[in-house]
Amino acid sequence: MAEKQLDDLFLDTLKDIYYAERQILKALPKMAKAATSPDLKAGFEQHLAETEAQVERLQQIFEILGKPARGKTCDAILGILEEGKEIMEEYKGTQALDAGLVSAAQAVEHYEIARYGTLATWAKQLGHTDALNLLLETLKEEEATDQKLSQLAKVSANIKAAA
């Protein structure tokens, strides 16, 4: 068996985030439905549209690499999403629900930021310029979503939860 190289790791991680994004596409409508704040609902709906575009970018990267767009089960995102589901169930109907949803969404965002940051670094190292540009576009969106969630938490969700 040939020794694995950075390009193998890059492809495996790409499969991982592709799987993760597709799971997130399933979770976001449920989170939007659960949210009580109109701003949080709208934020989840906006991020759903962004996530659809991010999946398309990942498909473009697979195409650039000449590989099929195939996901690889990502236990990390499954665990993070399960925690979000538990929050929706345990805090349904409470003042703390939206704060919990923001927290769960930020856990997802931080995972994505870590993955896209790593993939962008590796794409640069491997000379995958087209892939790098697509990854950086997604990374920028994920960071912006995280900032919006932080703002929502500070100005409304956390205050409502503490009342």
Side-chain angles (χ1 to χ4, degrees):
M1 181 181 208
E3 185 177 320
K4 295 207 175 235
Q5 303 289 326
L6 184 59
D7 55 345
D8 299 307
L9 191 55
F10 179 76
L11 182 61
D12 276 350
T13 306
L14 200 61
K15 290 177 181 180
D16 177 275
I17 196 67
Y18 183 66
Y19 177 89
E21 291 290 15
R22 293 178 62 208
Q23 295 304 306
I24 293 163
L25 281 175
K26 295 177 192 174
L28 279 168
K30 295 172 189 169
M31 293 174 81
K33 186 177 178 183
T36 61
S37 157
D39 289 340
L40 185 55
K41 242 183 226 305
F44 286 143
E45 289 165 356
Q46 177 189 347
H47 197 56
L48 177 62
E50 286 176 350
T51 303
E52 288 168 349
Q54 292 166 358
V55 167
E56 289 174 17
R57 276 187 221 118
L58 289 169
Q59 291 167 343
Q60 288 174 20
I61 295 169
F62 280 111
E63 196 173 303
I64 290 166
L65 298 173
K67 303 288 183 184
R70 219 177 269 136
K72 173 182 170 185
T73 301
C74 171
D75 292 328
I77 202 66
L78 291 175
I80 292 169
L81 292 174
E82 183 59 33
E83 285 181 2
K85 185 178 168 189
E86 288 172 12
I87 288 169
M88 286 188 281
E89 291 168 1
E90 292 175 23
Y91 291 87
K92 184 178 183 176
T94 72
Q95 295 284 82
L97 177 61
D98 284 349
L101 287 170
V102 169
S103 169
Q106 284 193 292
V108 170
E109 292 310 308
H110 293 177
Y111 177 77
E112 291 175 301
I113 289 165
R115 280 292 186 227
Y116 284 111
T118 297
L119 283 165
T121 300
W122 290 345
K124 184 175 182 179
Q125 179 70 37
L126 293 166
H128 297 313
T129 309
D130 291 341
L132 172 62
N133 292 331
L134 293 166
L135 292 164
L136 289 174
E137 186 176 349
T138 297
L139 179 60
K140 189 184 295 185
E141 287 175 354
E142 300 296 7
E143 291 170 338
T145 297
D146 183 50
Q147 288 299 315
K148 289 175 196 171
L149 287 165
S150 288
Q151 191 60 25
L152 266 173
K154 288 175 190 169
V155 300
S156 65
N158 292 347
I159 293 168
K160 182 179 172 187

